[in-house]
Amino acid sequence: MKVYEYPHIVGFEETNLVGNVYYVNHLKWQGRCREMFLRDHAPTVLTELSQGLALATVRVSCEYFVELYAFDTIAIRMHLKELTQNRVTMFFEYWRLANGNEELIARGEQQVACMKREGEQIVPTPVPPALKEALQPYADLRI
Ligand code: SSV
């Protein structure tokens, strides 16, 4: 199984009054990670998003183990947890990278539902073939 990695260096804007990273940022990084995945591996899905496809986020979670600080170098690693007719569930691990060491900071999960806009309505639609194809190598079980 492959994992998709989004690297990041924590900035001051992401920290709170006492210097550690404010919890909402971990969720933003999940968002960054998934959009960069589309950019790198399924760019046609980005076009579809401007043509009626909607990827609706229906669930997001994060479990926090260790605090992060400004200038920490981290990697958000994503893989596919489940794929159904019209839903994709992703799993995330947040690692801090420091002098050759890797420390698990947090874990997260999210699910998106594929929908399409039909006039006023928004209705479920199958996962776009280009996305299914791109997800294949990142599945933790064969799909
Ligand atoms: C504008 C908007 O609604 C964007 C939604 C983006 C959703 C991206 C979903 C990407 C899923 C990638 C899964 C990769 C698993 C290895």
Side-chain angles (χ1 to χ4, degrees):
M1 175 198 66
K2 290 216 281 184
V3 295
Y4 180 78
E5 180 169 293
Y6 168 65
H8 182 71
I9 298 173
V10 175
F12 278 140
E13 65 157 10
E14 295 168 315
T15 61
N16 63 26
L17 211 50
V18 285
N20 61 348
V21 169
Y22 194 50
Y23 75 100
V24 296
N25 290 291
H26 296 67
L27 304 185
K28 286 177 62 176
W29 301 334
Q30 286 189 25
R32 283 291 288 163
C33 188
R34 72 181 193 181
E35 72 194 30
M36 293 304 279
F37 176 87
L38 293 186
R39 190 198 71 144
D40 290 350
H41 296 295
T44 59
V45 175
L46 297 175
T47 319
E48 291 185 59
L49 283 172
S50 63
Q51 297 167 350
L53 175 69
L55 295 174
T57 309
V58 294
R59 194 177 75 222
V60 183
S61 70
C62 190
E63 262 188 292
Y64 303 81
F65 307 132
V66 183
E67 288 181 330
L68 285 173
Y69 295 91
F71 305 110
D72 281 349
T73 298
I74 61 172
I76 290 94
R77 296 184 178 143
M78 173 176 71
H79 72 263
L80 177 69
K81 190 179 170 193
E82 197 185 15
L83 179 66
T84 64
Q85 262 287 85
N86 79 316
R87 289 189 182 203
V88 182
T89 308
M90 300 91 98
F91 187 79
F92 299 84
E93 284 181 351
Y94 303 71
W95 292 85
R96 174 162 48 202
L97 317 176
N99 36 64
N101 264 12
E102 298 197 345
E103 183 184 11
L104 184 65
I105 296 302
R107 267 202 269 266
E109 202 178 302
Q110 66 166 261
Q111 189 176 69
V112 301
C114 300
M115 312 287 284
K116 67 170 185 287
R117 300 179 195 282
E118 279 187 347
E120 303 285 88
Q121 303 265 82
I122 181 150
V123 296
T125 191
V127 176
L131 181 55
K132 272 177 87 160
E133 196 65 33
L135 292 173
Q136 198 79 42
Y138 297 89
D140 62 0
L141 297 169
R142 287 273 62 86
I143 50 169

